[in-house]
Amino acid sequence: MKSCTKCSKNIACLKRPKTGDALCRECFFDAFEQEIHWTITTFNLFSRGDYVAIAASGGKDSTVLAHLMKVLNDRYDYGLKLVLLSIDEGITGYRDDSLETVKRNELQYGIPLKILSYNDLYGWTMDKIVAAVGKKSNCTFCGVFRRQALDRGAMQLGVDKIVTGHNADDIAETVIMNVLRGDIARLQRCTSIVTGSEGLIPRSKPFKYTYEKEIVMYAHFKKLDYFSTECIYSPNAYRGHARAYIKNLELQDPLSILNIIYSGECMSLREGTKLPSKGTCSRCGYISSQEVCKACVMLEGLNKGVPRLGVGKTSKVIKKMEQLKLSEDSDRSPTKPVVSHSTTEVPSRKSSVLRETTLEW
Amino acid sequence: MCDISLEFAGGAELLFESRKKQSVSLPPQDRPWTIDLLVKWLAKNLLKGNPEMFIHADGSGVRPGILVLINEIDWELLGGKDYRIQNNDSILFVSTLHGG
Ligand SMILES: [Zn+2]
Ligand SMILES: [Zn+2]
């Protein structure tokens, strides 16, 4: 059995992907926690007195993040006020186990928990939406609403910052996905450690340089209580392929993960390249390439009894919206959403703007 | 004789009827039991979920993204899929591929 390359005292229990070091438990905990602290301080993720929402799903990444935020805030006296923020889509049975996990985390880490439901945020639960639109297109609704839910929830709580548990493997996967989709706007943003400038709530990723393997090993050795759902492959096969690709590369050379992130960071647009214009939704203020964002269109449809509005193609939707004269009575929207931001609509793949876009490596 | 205890976590248990822990006696055979042979044996005898989610695409060892700990030690420090299983080993499979 190998002994720890750092203390040469204890038996090594883990091979670090980033360095190849064989570390014992104690030296691994040390190195892991130090690195997150380094990331937080080097990139100035927080200021003293910040009220910070930890996006908490009960899964491995957000559980380890909640634990570490608590440990580091106490150890290094960041002076942060922490809150766990969970989103409940309102699908009977679906979130029960993960919300139970988050409730235990609240007690384990002594961080107050706030659960906001789609009903709180949008006035509709997924169960009610399914009843209105049928099972076929409910995923479209859930996906669009989920994209904005965290920002809307954070606005409701009045926090200064949001942290999410996205790790290095996730970010590398997203870089690959955005390259494959030709989504240049997202490619530009996805490697940023902090997103959401323009005076709106900043979102940061303290695990940007942290390998998934180490997060899972840390959770295991610390016996942290987390929840895993069925495979992430099933709902999105395309992302699954990207993930498998990343994991296979990692097996051959773990550094390829950091290299993909680095390459993503270095790709910049040639000057003069047109990007889809980034307007904001006239209803809720969320970044949107259309006058009214997709979530607001869908809400309008639900509230007006034409639930399938917003499910189809954008051009058709615009025509339909004109028919309904939606922009005229926007102030009467019963669920006027909170102003939030940070995700743009996916630009239409057929738009000429995208075809003109060129990458510079 | 090769009595081992198996543990599945991080979502890997979902591929094994949600059974997190079980003791197994591996049948005697001419060659020594390795992780590679264990994975093939598991696939044949205990696996209920999609085999693609557990076994490497080339049919040897576990799929990348599933971590293996042998007596609480990272299998990458012990020779990976060629590790020779000893009597009373405890072997843990942790998935990093499952969401939360
Ligand atoms: Zn050590
Ligand atoms: Zn909107």
Side-chain angles (χ1 to χ4, degrees):
Chain A
M1 275 195 245
K2 280 193 183 117
S3 52
C4 173
T5 46
K6 202 152 162 216
C7 67
S8 35
K9 216 170 56 198
N10 305 325
I11 293 166
C13 67
L14 164 130
K15 186 177 176 190
R16 298 202 75 190
K18 208 179 291 185
T19 58
D21 287 345
L23 296 185
C24 72
R25 253 181 222 217
E26 291 311 315
C27 291
F28 166 57
F29 291 158
D30 245 37
F32 185 84
E33 290 161 7
Q34 282 297 323
E35 272 185 24
I36 312 301
H37 173 60
W38 177 86
T39 306
I40 288 172
T41 50
T42 306
F43 296 95
N44 297 310
L45 298 190
F46 313 112
S47 314
R48 211 176 172 74
D50 273 349
Y51 184 21
V52 180
I54 303 161
S57 66
K60 55 183 163 44
D61 301 303
S62 65
T63 298
V64 174
L65 181 62
H67 166 85
L68 274 177
M69 287 298 293
K70 168 73 179 157
V71 166
L72 297 178
N73 190 35
D74 289 350
R75 184 183 300 163
Y76 297 104
D77 190 28
Y78 295 156
L80 307 178
K81 186 182 163 197
L82 303 174
V83 61
L84 296 168
L85 170 58
S86 291
I87 304 297
D88 180 4
E89 294 88 348
I91 305 171
T92 308
Y94 173 66
R95 277 283 172 210
D96 295 357
D97 292 338
S98 67
L99 290 177
E100 281 315 308
T101 309
V102 187
K103 283 176 195 164
R104 287 196 300 275
N105 291 162
E106 175 181 30
L107 301 174
Q108 288 154 352
Y109 309 140
I111 307 173
L113 165 68
K114 189 79 190 150
I115 299 174
L116 290 173
S117 65
Y118 274 14
N119 199 36
D120 297 326
L121 300 169
Y122 301 105
W124 287 79
T125 67
M126 276 313 295
D127 280 351
K128 279 203 281 172
I129 293 172
V130 171
V133 304
K135 276 218 167 113
K136 232 175 155 186
S137 38
N138 62 339
C139 287
T140 317
F141 278 86
C142 199
V144 170
F145 284 179
R146 187 175 288 160
R147 233 186 287 157
Q148 290 190 7
L150 205 53
D151 289 293
R152 289 187 185 220
M155 276 288 181
Q156 280 195 9
L157 295 184
V159 299
D160 301 300
K161 276 158 195 165
I162 307 171
V163 284
T164 64
H166 292 102
N167 59 48
D169 298 58
D170 294 331
I171 297 169
E173 176 188 312
T174 306
V175 169
I176 298 291
M177 290 282 286
N178 287 329
V179 168
L180 294 177
R181 286 176 175 149
D183 191 338
I184 306 308
R186 281 221 173 87
L187 182 59
Q188 293 281 296
R189 271 179 286 121
C190 72
T191 54
S192 310
I193 191 157
V194 182
T195 51
S197 45
E198 299 158 58
L200 298 156
I201 301 181
R203 238 195 227 216
S204 68
K205 311 177 188 96
F207 288 164
K208 177 178 172 186
Y209 301 106
T210 310
Y211 281 70
E212 194 155 58
K213 173 183 173 182
E214 294 200 351
I215 292 173
V216 171
M217 289 293 218
Y218 186 88
H220 172 71
F221 289 137
K222 285 271 181 189
K223 298 191 167 47
L224 300 184
D225 178 13
Y226 72 89
F227 166 77
S228 17
T229 57
E230 68 189 62
C231 180
I232 45 169
Y233 287 86
S234 32
N236 187 338
Y238 199 64
R239 184 169 276 278
H241 286 308
R243 170 143 294 220
Y245 175 63
I246 296 281
K247 292 289 178 195
N248 277 308
L249 291 175
E250 187 176 1
L251 197 64
Q252 288 170 39
D253 178 10
L255 276 183
S256 55
I257 297 280
L258 291 180
N259 290 340
I260 290 169
I261 297 175
Y262 177 68
S263 301
E265 285 170 340
C266 294
M267 281 186 242
S268 61
L269 290 175
R270 193 172 291 161
E271 226 173 297
T273 305
K274 277 183 239 154
L275 273 182
S277 58
K278 256 206 277 181
T280 50
C281 170
S282 62
R283 295 284 175 84
C284 68
Y286 204 94
I287 291 177
S288 168
S289 54
Q290 309 291 327
E291 138 120 52
V292 177
C293 79
K294 193 130 179 157
C296 286
V297 172
M298 287 178 155
L299 274 175
E300 186 71 37
L302 286 167
N303 292 329
K304 286 224 159 123
V306 265
R308 299 198 55 81
L309 188 70
V311 176
K313 286 205 179 107
T314 316
S315 54
K316 280 188 195 162
V317 171
I318 291 169
K319 219 182 257 170
K320 242 190 190 160
M321 286 199 35
E322 277 165 5
Q323 285 164 8
L324 285 164
K325 296 212 176 76
L326 289 184
S327 37
E328 278 177 25
D329 55 8
S330 61
D331 287 333
R332 290 196 292 116
S333 175
T335 44
K336 181 115 182 150
V338 197
V339 179
S340 49
H341 72 100
S342 123
T343 335
T344 53
E345 301 285 293
V346 191
S348 157
R349 223 173 292 179
K350 284 174 200 134
S351 80
S352 56
V353 178
L354 258 180
R355 268 191 261 117
E356 285 164 27
T357 313
T358 23
L359 277 176
E360 217 162 67
W361 294 74
Chain B
M1 271 303 262
C2 205
D3 292 329
I4 55 170
S5 57
L6 290 172
E7 201 178 332
F8 301 97
E13 71 277 14
L14 300 171
L15 302 168
F16 292 87
E17 300 180 289
S18 297
R19 288 183 69 183
K20 292 201 170 192
K21 279 184 183 177
Q22 44 192 316
S23 297
V24 162
S25 290
L26 296 173
Q29 58 174 16
D30 307 338
R31 19 177 208 170
W33 280 97
T34 59
I35 296 290
D36 182 30
L37 293 173
L38 171 67
V39 167
K40 289 187 172 110
W41 184 86
L42 285 172
K44 222 178 193 173
N45 294 283
L46 295 177
L47 182 79
K48 293 285 144 59
N50 180 0
E52 278 177 34
M53 290 307 305
F54 190 66
I55 306 159
H56 195 285
D58 69 11
S60 156
V62 286
R63 154 170 209 146
I66 292 183
L67 308 177
V68 185
L69 282 97
I70 301 154
N71 305 318
E72 291 289 87
I73 294 174
D74 187 353
W75 71 327
E76 290 188 53
L77 295 172
L78 299 171
K81 66 180 161 81
D82 298 324
Y83 170 80
R84 286 188 177 197
I85 297 171
Q86 313 289 311
N87 200 28
N88 293 322
D89 271 352
S90 83
I91 300 172
L92 165 68
F93 296 90
V94 195
S95 172
T96 67
L97 304 166
H98 288 71

